[in-house]
Amino acid sequence: MTDHFQVKMAEMNFEADRPKAENPVKIMDLTLRDGHQSLFATRGRTEDMIPVAEMMDNIGFWAVEVWGGATFDTTHRFLNEDPWERLRTMKRYFKNTPLSMLLRAQNLVGYRNYPDDVAKAFVQRTAENGMDIFRTFDALNDFRNFETVVKEIKAAGKHFQGCVCYTLTGPRMGGEIYNLEFYLNKAKELEDMGADTICIKDMAGLLAPYDAFDLVKALKETVKPPIHLHSHFTSGMSPMTHLKAIEAGVDIIDTCMSPYAYRTSHAAIEPLVVTLYGTSRDTGFSVKALDEINQKLENDILPKYKHLLDDSKVSIIDTNVLLHQTPGGMLSNLVNQLREMDALDRINEVYELLPKVRKDLGQVPLVTPTSQIVGIQTVNNVLFDSENDTYKMTTQQVKDLCYGLYGKTAAPINPDVQKKVLKGYPRGEEPITCRPAEILEPELEKAKEDVKDLAADLDDVLIYALYPTTGKKFLKYKYGLEDPPESLKAKTLEQAKKEEDLVRKARAGKVVAKKTPEDEEGLRKFTVVVDDEVFEVRVEDKNPPVIMQAAPALSAPPAHAAPQQDTQTQAPARQQAPVRQAAPTSPKPAPKPAPDAKAADAKPAAPSAAPADGTPIKAPMPGTVIRFEKKVGDTVNEGDTVVILEAMKMENSLTATTSGTLKSINYREGDAVAKNDVICVIG
Ligand code: CO
């Protein structure tokens, strides 16, 4: 295809004769942020961006988006990378092209409103570390949440791009809330705030081409700053939407390099370049130069991430999004979470209930973090509600939203839901109406104090201030106080190719069980499949064999450390009281370890063996223990919150189902728990 194209162009001598466009469409490339965030959960590593950075720098992009959004979270949490180092590295390689980031206004790059002191420091440090363009949005389109960050962006002399989140309540623009006037008014607000550019942020690809034409045309007539369009491909409309927006005079369009394009990501740049060839809006980009970048991405980079791509569907278009308005990142999160909870078969119930939950919560746009808030609450309602008792398990974030801590919703919140959710809410049962950050206590000084032995500079402190649990863990890895687990390490191209090869052979029925040579401790490694779960077992090759360790090989093993143990001095799991149990000599699969056995592995007190004389509080879903609201010996009343469990980035309050005394706590703050693990016992 490429050859044919090049020959034709050579015949026409088009490149030489290509006239310079009067008003070229400017392009922002999103490959290194929204591209991999949409397609493979933001797992792209810095080392895999460097090989294409300089080539991309020479294309002529208006800007490249390389940071913000979920990158701050995933770099430190899943990749053991310093998010600030990512930014500084990109700045070194992109010498000609401005860098852009996605800033969630007062939510910064997290999932809640941070206090003003943290917000100011974050923007200052981001500018200092090399950011040029701050694409700023608020999930509720409540621009009071822009005030603090915009002041800092301007003070640093950087580009403030104000976004309006585009959302709908029906199939097309209009209706009572999200109509043309709504968007024009929002754009005027942004112009008044000093926006250098104004972006229509269409997170779920809902903007229909003819609506885009009307919207862009009206915006160009109403406000002065250049108009920028960010429209995800999800529904399949975006290439048409782009073209109509260009006809209406849009100034800047967002695209991705083709290997990172389409599906829930963005349209590719190459077809747009050719579409506009020789017109008054020609981008002027060389398709050949773009293709060279694509070859590198396709052959050297993407094979390492293929296993993360969702290839469960043949269709690259999600028509459902036009019905349930769910952006891509949220979709993959919901699917993952339901899968972990063994409830993937209920996904359709979640889709069905989602519009109602959204309406109850004030018809909020579905964008981070409101997409997560609405999505997870819907999952909770589907899994835990009964007909007469709805909103039975509400996340902390839903409570905060009902209280007004995220800002003002476009439509009022369902008062019945609001009242139920705010019952016993510690800040008060009466919602606020002021700018949310006005009631938030400063946090920066406390954060500095908390990590004074760990943080080398303000950047470190901010990692902790934004993400206390995972941030602290990362800082320990960063300064060598703890070894990062194997699961955080990068995969090499060789490994990826080997794995792919293995999968191909397995599919062809060519794989036979094979034991590895004995290791230095005289153990052989076997892979055993039990009920679809893959266990890696190391077996002493003598009679009778002894299973020394059985850990799920596909996910990070949960840290089942007893409360009094210090992880820093914790011996490798295999050296702790080995589970001695009869194991099969060969093909017969190993018995699934009893739940108690796993607990006994690390906890001599075996607290989960005790629920006979107490009422356990079990984890209703896999997650991380954030904090305990009660301690051992405390009196607990039915309905009291005992423990806060983080799952899917949302905090869930687990409440006592009975009154009594808190007898035992089996996990520490920061520990990972699996579904049905007994977190504590009330006696
Ligand atoms: Co996006």
Side-chain angles (χ1 to χ4, degrees), residues 316-370:
I316 66 160
I317 285 169
D318 178 10
T319 37
N320 265 338
V321 78
L322 296 166
L323 302 170
H324 56 64
Q325 309 192 328
T326 317
M330 177 184 178
L331 275 184
S332 52
N333 276 344
L334 288 182
V335 169
N336 279 343
Q337 186 68 3
L338 282 171
R339 189 180 286 139
E340 271 184 50
M341 292 163 85
D342 288 329
L344 194 54
D345 55 319
R346 305 192 70 177
I347 187 84
N348 286 331
E349 286 173 70
V350 172
Y351 287 156
E352 234 163 79
L353 189 65
L354 208 130
K356 190 191 171 292
V357 174
R358 183 187 178 208
K359 195 171 179 213
D360 283 343
L361 298 178
Q363 290 291 20
V364 292
L366 296 178
V367 60
T368 302
T370 45

Short mmCIF file of all heavy atoms in Angstrom, two decimals, residues 316-370:
data_model
loop_
_atom_site.label_atom_id
_atom_site.label_comp_id
_atom_site.label_asym_id
_atom_site.label_seq_id
_atom_site.Cartn_x
_atom_site.Cartn_y
_atom_site.Cartn_z
N ILE A 316 -14.00 -2.36 15.84
CA ILE A 316 -13.23 -1.31 16.50
C ILE A 316 -14.14 -0.16 16.93
O ILE A 316 -13.69 0.83 17.48
CB ILE A 316 -12.08 -0.78 15.61
CG1 ILE A 316 -12.60 -0.05 14.37
CG2 ILE A 316 -11.13 -1.89 15.22
CD1 ILE A 316 -11.55 0.86 13.77
N ILE A 317 -15.41 -0.30 16.65
CA ILE A 317 -16.36 0.75 16.99
C ILE A 317 -17.32 0.27 18.07
O ILE A 317 -17.78 -0.86 18.03
CB ILE A 317 -17.14 1.18 15.74
CG1 ILE A 317 -16.24 2.02 14.84
CG2 ILE A 317 -18.39 1.96 16.10
CD1 ILE A 317 -16.81 2.26 13.48
N ASP A 318 -17.58 1.12 19.04
CA ASP A 318 -18.51 0.78 20.10
C ASP A 318 -19.78 1.60 19.93
O ASP A 318 -19.85 2.74 20.34
CB ASP A 318 -17.86 1.07 21.46
CG ASP A 318 -18.81 0.76 22.60
OD1 ASP A 318 -19.87 0.16 22.35
OD2 ASP A 318 -18.47 1.11 23.74
N THR A 319 -20.77 1.00 19.30
CA THR A 319 -22.01 1.74 19.06
C THR A 319 -22.76 2.00 20.37
O THR A 319 -23.51 2.97 20.49
CB THR A 319 -22.94 1.00 18.10
OG1 THR A 319 -22.84 -0.39 18.36
CG2 THR A 319 -22.57 1.27 16.66
N ASN A 320 -22.51 1.14 21.36
CA ASN A 320 -23.17 1.32 22.65
C ASN A 320 -22.90 2.68 23.28
O ASN A 320 -23.71 3.20 24.03
CB ASN A 320 -22.68 0.26 23.64
CG ASN A 320 -23.61 -0.93 23.67
OD1 ASN A 320 -24.77 -0.80 23.29
ND2 ASN A 320 -23.11 -2.05 24.11
N VAL A 321 -21.72 3.23 22.97
CA VAL A 321 -21.35 4.48 23.62
C VAL A 321 -22.37 5.58 23.30
O VAL A 321 -22.58 6.51 24.08
CB VAL A 321 -19.92 4.91 23.23
CG1 VAL A 321 -19.88 5.52 21.86
CG2 VAL A 321 -19.36 5.86 24.26
N LEU A 322 -23.02 5.45 22.17
CA LEU A 322 -24.05 6.44 21.82
C LEU A 322 -25.26 6.30 22.74
O LEU A 322 -26.02 7.24 22.92
CB LEU A 322 -24.48 6.26 20.36
CG LEU A 322 -23.35 6.53 19.36
CD1 LEU A 322 -23.73 6.03 17.98
CD2 LEU A 322 -23.01 8.01 19.33
N LEU A 323 -25.40 5.13 23.34
CA LEU A 323 -26.52 4.91 24.24
C LEU A 323 -26.14 5.18 25.69
O LEU A 323 -26.85 5.87 26.42
CB LEU A 323 -27.02 3.46 24.12
CG LEU A 323 -27.48 3.04 22.73
CD1 LEU A 323 -27.70 1.54 22.69
CD2 LEU A 323 -28.75 3.79 22.35
N HIS A 324 -24.99 4.62 26.12
CA HIS A 324 -24.67 4.77 27.54
C HIS A 324 -23.60 5.81 27.84
O HIS A 324 -23.28 6.06 29.00
CB HIS A 324 -24.31 3.42 28.18
CG HIS A 324 -23.18 2.70 27.50
ND1 HIS A 324 -21.92 3.21 27.47
CD2 HIS A 324 -23.15 1.54 26.82
CE1 HIS A 324 -21.15 2.37 26.80
NE2 HIS A 324 -21.87 1.36 26.39
N GLN A 325 -23.03 6.44 26.81
CA GLN A 325 -22.13 7.58 26.96
C GLN A 325 -20.93 7.32 27.86
O GLN A 325 -20.51 8.18 28.62
CB GLN A 325 -22.91 8.78 27.51
CG GLN A 325 -24.16 9.05 26.71
CD GLN A 325 -24.77 10.38 27.04
OE1 GLN A 325 -24.66 10.82 28.18
NE2 GLN A 325 -25.38 11.01 26.08
N THR A 326 -20.40 6.10 27.77
CA THR A 326 -19.30 5.74 28.64
C THR A 326 -17.97 5.87 27.92
O THR A 326 -17.75 5.20 26.93
CB THR A 326 -19.46 4.28 29.09
OG1 THR A 326 -20.82 4.07 29.43
CG2 THR A 326 -18.59 3.98 30.27
N PRO A 327 -17.07 6.73 28.42
CA PRO A 327 -15.78 6.86 27.75
C PRO A 327 -14.92 5.61 27.91
O PRO A 327 -15.09 4.85 28.87
CB PRO A 327 -15.13 8.06 28.43
CG PRO A 327 -15.89 8.28 29.67
CD PRO A 327 -17.22 7.62 29.55
N GLY A 328 -13.99 5.44 26.97
CA GLY A 328 -13.18 4.23 26.88
C GLY A 328 -12.47 3.80 28.15
O GLY A 328 -12.56 2.64 28.55
N GLY A 329 -11.77 4.74 28.78
CA GLY A 329 -11.02 4.38 29.98
C GLY A 329 -11.94 3.81 31.04
O GLY A 329 -11.60 2.85 31.74
N MET A 330 -13.12 4.38 31.14
CA MET A 330 -14.08 3.93 32.13
C MET A 330 -14.58 2.52 31.80
O MET A 330 -14.72 1.67 32.67
CB MET A 330 -15.23 4.92 32.14
CG MET A 330 -16.36 4.56 33.06
SD MET A 330 -17.65 5.79 32.82
CE MET A 330 -18.90 5.17 33.92
N LEU A 331 -14.80 2.28 30.51
CA LEU A 331 -15.25 0.96 30.08
C LEU A 331 -14.27 -0.12 30.49
O LEU A 331 -14.66 -1.12 31.10
CB LEU A 331 -15.37 0.93 28.55
CG LEU A 331 -16.66 1.41 27.94
CD1 LEU A 331 -16.60 1.21 26.43
CD2 LEU A 331 -17.83 0.68 28.52
N SER A 332 -12.98 0.09 30.16
CA SER A 332 -12.02 -0.97 30.46
C SER A 332 -11.88 -1.15 31.97
O SER A 332 -11.69 -2.25 32.45
CB SER A 332 -10.67 -0.71 29.78
OG SER A 332 -10.21 0.57 30.07
N ASN A 333 -12.01 -0.05 32.74
CA ASN A 333 -11.98 -0.16 34.20
C ASN A 333 -13.13 -1.01 34.71
O ASN A 333 -12.96 -1.86 35.58
CB ASN A 333 -12.09 1.22 34.85
CG ASN A 333 -10.74 1.89 34.93
OD1 ASN A 333 -9.72 1.26 34.79
ND2 ASN A 333 -10.76 3.19 35.17
N LEU A 334 -14.33 -0.75 34.20
CA LEU A 334 -15.51 -1.48 34.66
C LEU A 334 -15.39 -2.96 34.34
O LEU A 334 -15.67 -3.81 35.17
CB LEU A 334 -16.78 -0.93 34.01
CG LEU A 334 -17.26 0.44 34.48
CD1 LEU A 334 -18.55 0.81 33.77
CD2 LEU A 334 -17.48 0.45 35.98
N VAL A 335 -14.95 -3.24 33.11
CA VAL A 335 -14.79 -4.63 32.70
C VAL A 335 -13.77 -5.33 33.59
O VAL A 335 -14.02 -6.42 34.11
CB VAL A 335 -14.39 -4.71 31.21
CG1 VAL A 335 -13.95 -6.12 30.85
CG2 VAL A 335 -15.55 -4.27 30.33
N ASN A 336 -12.62 -4.67 33.83
CA ASN A 336 -11.59 -5.26 34.69
C ASN A 336 -12.10 -5.53 36.08
O ASN A 336 -11.86 -6.58 36.66
CB ASN A 336 -10.38 -4.33 34.77
CG ASN A 336 -9.49 -4.48 33.56
OD1 ASN A 336 -9.60 -5.46 32.83
ND2 ASN A 336 -8.64 -3.50 33.33
N GLN A 337 -12.79 -4.55 36.65
CA GLN A 337 -13.26 -4.68 38.03
C GLN A 337 -14.29 -5.79 38.14
O GLN A 337 -14.24 -6.61 39.05
CB GLN A 337 -13.83 -3.35 38.52
CG GLN A 337 -14.20 -3.35 40.00
CD GLN A 337 -12.97 -3.44 40.90
OE1 GLN A 337 -11.83 -3.45 40.43
NE2 GLN A 337 -13.21 -3.52 42.19
N LEU A 338 -15.23 -5.83 37.21
CA LEU A 338 -16.24 -6.88 37.25
C LEU A 338 -15.59 -8.26 37.08
O LEU A 338 -15.98 -9.22 37.72
CB LEU A 338 -17.29 -6.66 36.16
CG LEU A 338 -18.34 -5.59 36.46
CD1 LEU A 338 -19.17 -5.31 35.23
CD2 LEU A 338 -19.24 -6.00 37.62
N ARG A 339 -14.56 -8.33 36.24
CA ARG A 339 -13.87 -9.60 36.03
C ARG A 339 -13.23 -10.05 37.33
O ARG A 339 -13.35 -11.19 37.75
CB ARG A 339 -12.83 -9.44 34.92
CG ARG A 339 -12.22 -10.77 34.49
CD ARG A 339 -11.19 -10.58 33.40
NE ARG A 339 -11.79 -10.27 32.12
CZ ARG A 339 -11.32 -9.36 31.27
NH1 ARG A 339 -10.25 -8.65 31.59
NH2 ARG A 339 -11.91 -9.15 30.12
N GLU A 340 -12.55 -9.12 38.01
CA GLU A 340 -11.91 -9.46 39.28
C GLU A 340 -12.92 -9.91 40.32
O GLU A 340 -12.61 -10.64 41.24
CB GLU A 340 -11.15 -8.24 39.83
CG GLU A 340 -9.73 -8.16 39.33
CD GLU A 340 -8.98 -7.00 39.98
OE1 GLU A 340 -9.03 -6.88 41.21
OE2 GLU A 340 -8.38 -6.20 39.23
N MET A 341 -14.12 -9.40 40.22
CA MET A 341 -15.15 -9.75 41.19
C MET A 341 -16.00 -10.93 40.71
O MET A 341 -17.04 -11.21 41.29
CB MET A 341 -16.04 -8.53 41.44
CG MET A 341 -15.29 -7.42 42.16
SD MET A 341 -16.14 -5.84 42.02
CE MET A 341 -17.27 -5.99 43.39
N ASP A 342 -15.53 -11.60 39.67
CA ASP A 342 -16.27 -12.74 39.11
C ASP A 342 -17.68 -12.36 38.73
O ASP A 342 -18.63 -13.12 38.96
CB ASP A 342 -16.31 -13.91 40.11
CG ASP A 342 -14.96 -14.58 40.23
OD1 ASP A 342 -14.22 -14.57 39.22
OD2 ASP A 342 -14.64 -15.09 41.30
N ALA A 343 -17.88 -11.16 38.23
CA ALA A 343 -19.24 -10.71 37.93
C ALA A 343 -19.32 -10.10 36.53
O ALA A 343 -20.19 -9.28 36.26
CB ALA A 343 -19.68 -9.70 38.98
N LEU A 344 -18.42 -10.54 35.65
CA LEU A 344 -18.40 -9.94 34.32
C LEU A 344 -19.72 -10.17 33.57
O LEU A 344 -20.12 -9.38 32.72
CB LEU A 344 -17.23 -10.52 33.51
CG LEU A 344 -16.86 -9.77 32.22
CD1 LEU A 344 -16.61 -8.30 32.49
CD2 LEU A 344 -15.63 -10.39 31.57
N ASP A 345 -20.43 -11.22 33.95
CA ASP A 345 -21.71 -11.50 33.29
C ASP A 345 -22.76 -10.43 33.61
O ASP A 345 -23.82 -10.41 33.01
CB ASP A 345 -22.22 -12.88 33.72
CG ASP A 345 -22.33 -13.02 35.23
OD1 ASP A 345 -21.40 -12.54 35.93
OD2 ASP A 345 -23.32 -13.58 35.72
N ARG A 346 -22.47 -9.54 34.55
CA ARG A 346 -23.46 -8.52 34.91
C ARG A 346 -23.18 -7.18 34.25
O ARG A 346 -23.79 -6.17 34.60
CB ARG A 346 -23.53 -8.39 36.43
CG ARG A 346 -23.81 -9.77 37.05
CD ARG A 346 -24.16 -9.70 38.49
NE ARG A 346 -25.48 -9.09 38.70
CZ ARG A 346 -26.05 -8.97 39.89
NH1 ARG A 346 -25.42 -9.41 40.97
NH2 ARG A 346 -27.23 -8.40 40.02
N ILE A 347 -22.26 -7.16 33.28
CA ILE A 347 -21.89 -5.90 32.65
C ILE A 347 -23.09 -5.21 31.99
O ILE A 347 -23.22 -3.99 32.05
CB ILE A 347 -20.71 -6.08 31.64
CG1 ILE A 347 -20.21 -4.74 31.09
CG2 ILE A 347 -21.09 -6.97 30.46
CD1 ILE A 347 -19.23 -4.04 31.94
N ASN A 348 -23.98 -6.00 31.42
CA ASN A 348 -25.13 -5.37 30.76
C ASN A 348 -26.06 -4.70 31.76
O ASN A 348 -26.65 -3.66 31.46
CB ASN A 348 -25.89 -6.39 29.91
CG ASN A 348 -25.11 -6.71 28.64
OD1 ASN A 348 -24.36 -5.87 28.14
ND2 ASN A 348 -25.25 -7.93 28.15
N GLU A 349 -26.18 -5.27 32.96
CA GLU A 349 -26.98 -4.62 34.01
C GLU A 349 -26.35 -3.27 34.39
O GLU A 349 -27.05 -2.30 34.66
CB GLU A 349 -27.04 -5.50 35.25
CG GLU A 349 -27.95 -6.70 35.14
CD GLU A 349 -27.81 -7.60 36.37
OE1 GLU A 349 -28.24 -7.19 37.46
OE2 GLU A 349 -27.23 -8.69 36.22
N VAL A 350 -25.01 -3.27 34.40
CA VAL A 350 -24.31 -2.03 34.74
C VAL A 350 -24.60 -0.96 33.68
O VAL A 350 -24.95 0.18 34.02
CB VAL A 350 -22.79 -2.28 34.88
CG1 VAL A 350 -22.02 -0.97 35.02
CG2 VAL A 350 -22.51 -3.18 36.07
N TYR A 351 -24.50 -1.35 32.40
CA TYR A 351 -24.79 -0.39 31.33
C TYR A 351 -26.22 0.14 31.44
O TYR A 351 -26.48 1.32 31.23
CB TYR A 351 -24.64 -1.06 29.95
CG TYR A 351 -23.22 -1.33 29.54
CD1 TYR A 351 -22.92 -2.34 28.63
CD2 TYR A 351 -22.16 -0.58 30.05
CE1 TYR A 351 -21.62 -2.60 28.24
CE2 TYR A 351 -20.86 -0.85 29.67
CZ TYR A 351 -20.59 -1.85 28.76
OH TYR A 351 -19.31 -2.10 28.39
N GLU A 352 -27.13 -0.76 31.79
CA GLU A 352 -28.54 -0.38 31.85
C GLU A 352 -28.82 0.60 32.98
O GLU A 352 -29.60 1.54 32.83
CB GLU A 352 -29.37 -1.65 32.09
CG GLU A 352 -30.47 -1.87 31.08
CD GLU A 352 -30.94 -3.31 31.14
OE1 GLU A 352 -31.72 -3.63 32.05
OE2 GLU A 352 -30.48 -4.10 30.30
N LEU A 353 -28.18 0.36 34.11
CA LEU A 353 -28.46 1.19 35.29
C LEU A 353 -27.72 2.52 35.25
O LEU A 353 -28.13 3.49 35.90
CB LEU A 353 -28.08 0.40 36.56
CG LEU A 353 -28.50 1.01 37.90
CD1 LEU A 353 -30.02 1.05 38.01
CD2 LEU A 353 -27.90 0.25 39.07
N LEU A 354 -26.64 2.57 34.47
CA LEU A 354 -25.77 3.74 34.50
C LEU A 354 -26.48 5.08 34.25
O LEU A 354 -26.27 6.03 35.01
CB LEU A 354 -24.63 3.52 33.51
CG LEU A 354 -23.36 4.25 33.84
CD1 LEU A 354 -22.18 3.30 33.80
CD2 LEU A 354 -23.11 5.39 32.90
N PRO A 355 -27.36 5.18 33.26
CA PRO A 355 -28.02 6.47 33.04
C PRO A 355 -28.85 6.93 34.24
O PRO A 355 -28.93 8.12 34.52
CB PRO A 355 -28.93 6.21 31.83
CG PRO A 355 -28.35 5.02 31.15
CD PRO A 355 -27.72 4.20 32.23
N LYS A 356 -29.43 5.98 34.96
CA LYS A 356 -30.24 6.36 36.14
C LYS A 356 -29.34 6.88 37.26
O LYS A 356 -29.63 7.91 37.88
CB LYS A 356 -31.03 5.15 36.64
CG LYS A 356 -32.06 5.56 37.68
CD LYS A 356 -32.70 4.42 38.42
CE LYS A 356 -33.52 4.94 39.57
NZ LYS A 356 -32.72 5.54 40.64
N VAL A 357 -28.23 6.19 37.49
CA VAL A 357 -27.30 6.64 38.54
C VAL A 357 -26.77 8.02 38.17
O VAL A 357 -26.67 8.91 39.01
CB VAL A 357 -26.15 5.62 38.73
CG1 VAL A 357 -25.11 6.15 39.70
CG2 VAL A 357 -26.70 4.29 39.22
N ARG A 358 -26.47 8.21 36.88
CA ARG A 358 -25.96 9.50 36.42
C ARG A 358 -26.99 10.60 36.68
O ARG A 358 -26.66 11.69 37.14
CB ARG A 358 -25.62 9.43 34.93
CG ARG A 358 -25.03 10.71 34.40
CD ARG A 358 -24.89 10.65 32.90
NE ARG A 358 -24.36 11.90 32.38
CZ ARG A 358 -24.59 12.37 31.17
NH1 ARG A 358 -25.35 11.67 30.33
NH2 ARG A 358 -24.09 13.51 30.77
N LYS A 359 -28.25 10.30 36.39
CA LYS A 359 -29.31 11.29 36.60
C LYS A 359 -29.46 11.60 38.08
O LYS A 359 -29.56 12.76 38.47
CB LYS A 359 -30.62 10.75 36.02
CG LYS A 359 -31.67 11.82 35.86
CD LYS A 359 -32.88 11.36 35.09
CE LYS A 359 -33.87 12.52 35.01
NZ LYS A 359 -35.25 12.09 35.03
N ASP A 360 -29.45 10.55 38.91
CA ASP A 360 -29.53 10.74 40.37
C ASP A 360 -28.42 11.68 40.85
O ASP A 360 -28.60 12.45 41.78
CB ASP A 360 -29.36 9.40 41.10
CG ASP A 360 -30.61 8.55 41.04
OD1 ASP A 360 -31.70 9.08 40.74
OD2 ASP A 360 -30.50 7.32 41.29
N LEU A 361 -27.26 11.56 40.22
CA LEU A 361 -26.09 12.32 40.68
C LEU A 361 -25.91 13.63 39.92
O LEU A 361 -24.82 14.18 39.85
CB LEU A 361 -24.83 11.44 40.60
CG LEU A 361 -24.88 10.17 41.48
CD1 LEU A 361 -23.63 9.33 41.30
CD2 LEU A 361 -25.04 10.53 42.97
N GLY A 362 -26.97 14.15 39.31
CA GLY A 362 -26.93 15.50 38.75
C GLY A 362 -26.52 15.58 37.29
O GLY A 362 -26.01 16.61 36.85
N GLN A 363 -26.71 14.51 36.51
CA GLN A 363 -26.38 14.49 35.08
C GLN A 363 -24.96 14.99 34.83
O GLN A 363 -24.70 15.78 33.93
CB GLN A 363 -27.36 15.36 34.26
CG GLN A 363 -28.76 14.81 34.14
CD GLN A 363 -28.88 13.55 33.28
OE1 GLN A 363 -27.90 12.84 33.05
NE2 GLN A 363 -30.09 13.25 32.84
N VAL A 364 -24.03 14.50 35.63
CA VAL A 364 -22.64 14.95 35.47
C VAL A 364 -22.08 14.43 34.15
O VAL A 364 -22.47 13.36 33.68
CB VAL A 364 -21.76 14.47 36.65
CG1 VAL A 364 -22.16 15.16 37.93
CG2 VAL A 364 -21.83 12.95 36.81
N PRO A 365 -21.15 15.18 33.53
CA PRO A 365 -20.44 14.62 32.38
C PRO A 365 -19.67 13.38 32.83
O PRO A 365 -19.27 13.31 34.00
CB PRO A 365 -19.47 15.73 31.97
CG PRO A 365 -19.98 16.97 32.62
CD PRO A 365 -20.68 16.53 33.87
N LEU A 366 -19.47 12.43 31.95
CA LEU A 366 -18.71 11.24 32.34
C LEU A 366 -17.27 11.39 31.89
O LEU A 366 -16.93 11.13 30.74
CB LEU A 366 -19.34 9.98 31.74
CG LEU A 366 -20.75 9.68 32.26
CD1 LEU A 366 -21.32 8.44 31.58
CD2 LEU A 366 -20.78 9.51 33.77
N VAL A 367 -16.44 11.85 32.80
CA VAL A 367 -15.02 12.07 32.52
C VAL A 367 -14.32 11.87 33.86
O VAL A 367 -14.96 12.01 34.91
CB VAL A 367 -14.80 13.50 31.96
CG1 VAL A 367 -15.26 14.55 32.94
CG2 VAL A 367 -13.35 13.74 31.57
N THR A 368 -13.04 11.52 33.84
CA THR A 368 -12.34 11.33 35.10
C THR A 368 -12.43 12.60 35.94
O THR A 368 -12.16 13.67 35.40
CB THR A 368 -10.85 11.01 34.84
OG1 THR A 368 -10.83 9.85 34.03
CG2 THR A 368 -10.10 10.73 36.12
N PRO A 369 -12.82 12.54 37.20
CA PRO A 369 -13.11 11.33 37.97
C PRO A 369 -14.59 10.98 38.03
O PRO A 369 -14.94 9.96 38.61
CB PRO A 369 -12.62 11.72 39.36
CG PRO A 369 -12.96 13.17 39.46
CD PRO A 369 -12.81 13.74 38.08
N THR A 370 -15.47 11.81 37.45
CA THR A 370 -16.90 11.51 37.58
C THR A 370 -17.27 10.22 36.87
O THR A 370 -18.21 9.54 37.28
CB THR A 370 -17.75 12.67 37.02
OG1 THR A 370 -17.19 13.07 35.78
CG2 THR A 370 -17.83 13.83 37.96
#
